[in-house]
């Protein structure tokens, strides 16, 4: 008889999970910082015209209006050019109320600096752009910028 019992040979020691929460939180933090949230999903074609003098626009005080023909995924909307504001197709008459609502949702200090960016497809007729600009005038939103590509085509 032996005084000491022999332990089982070949057992693997348990894996330490003490550092697992640190690794998970580090990965979570990395993906939160590195991920860009999409502003809106485009329902229209948007091939912007080119320009040779462009300036970067601050997004914290800007609302974008897209205009163009519906993309291939949204052919049920027809073939006529449409207006998109955020994630909704709107009519010309709804531009004023949509812009005023977006402006009122801003922080009060940024409301006087509110800018509307027009992202208009280069195949869109100027009559639609003129109608949009007229509605913006009626909403007293006079700071309008045309968004283009950096290269002139």
């Amino acid at each position: 008889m032996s005084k000491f019992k022999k332990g089982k040979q070949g057992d693997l020691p348990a894996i330490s999970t003490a550092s697992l929460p640190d690794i998970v939180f580090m990965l979570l933090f990395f993906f939160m910082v590195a991920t860009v949230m999409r502003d809106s999903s485009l329902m229209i074609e948007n091939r912007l015209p080119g320009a040779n003098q462009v300036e970067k626009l601050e997004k914290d005080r800007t609302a974008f209006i897209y205009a163009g023909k519906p993309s291939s995924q949204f052919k049920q909307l027809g073939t006529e050019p449409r207006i998109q504001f955020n994630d909704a197709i709107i009519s010309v008459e709804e531009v004023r109320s949509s812009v005023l609502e977006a402006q009122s949702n801003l922080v009060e200090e940024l409301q006087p600096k509110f800018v509307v960016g027009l992202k208009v497809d280069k195949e869109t007729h100027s009559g639609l752009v003129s109608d949009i600009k007229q509605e913006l005038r009626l909403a007293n939103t006079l700071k309008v910028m045309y968004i283009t590509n950096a290269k002139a085509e």
Side-chain angles (χ1 to χ4, degrees):
M1 276 216 207
S2 69
K3 194 172 186 180
F4 299 104
K5 287 188 176 180
K6 286 190 173 184
K8 293 182 181 175
Q9 296 284 335
D11 281 347
L12 293 175
I15 296 175
S16 173
T17 59
S19 63
L20 190 60
D22 294 336
I23 294 170
V24 169
F25 284 118
M26 188 172 22
L27 285 172
L28 178 67
F29 182 73
F30 171 77
F31 285 113
M32 285 174 56
V33 171
T35 303
V36 177
M37 300 300 284
R38 183 172 34 182
D39 289 337
S40 61
S41 300
L42 281 181
M43 295 186 238
I44 60 171
E45 292 179 7
N46 199 270
R47 296 181 311 268
L48 299 175
N52 55 11
Q53 295 180 356
V54 294
E55 184 179 320
K56 184 103 172 126
L57 190 63
E58 298 176 34
K59 286 190 176 185
D60 60 344
R61 58 186 175 102
T62 307
F64 294 102
I65 296 177
Y66 302 91
K69 293 181 181 176
S71 64
S72 59
Q73 297 172 343
F74 297 95
K75 285 297 180 189
Q76 71 269 19
L77 296 174
T79 58
E80 291 296 314
R82 303 284 182 177
I83 303 169
Q84 179 180 345
F85 189 79
N86 292 334
D87 280 337
I89 298 290
I90 61 173
S91 65
V92 175
E93 294 79 23
E94 296 172 311
V95 169
R96 184 183 339 163
S97 62
S98 299
V99 167
L100 289 174
E101 181 182 342
Q103 186 175 9
S104 66
N105 290 339
L106 284 177
V107 180
E108 197 161 333
E109 300 88 47
L110 294 177
Q111 287 182 3
K113 299 176 183 177
F114 182 67
V115 178
V116 173
L118 290 178
K119 291 187 174 186
V120 181
D121 185 61
K122 61 184 174 181
E123 301 295 323
T124 303
H125 299 291
S126 61
L128 181 63
V129 177
S130 177
D131 292 343
I132 294 170
K133 287 175 50 179
Q134 188 64 35
E135 287 295 317
L136 292 174
R137 280 188 207 111
L138 293 173
N140 201 24
T141 306
L142 305 177
K143 295 178 184 174
V144 178
M145 297 191 79
Y146 294 96
I147 311 298
T148 64
N149 284 332
K151 284 185 174 179
E153 295 179 8

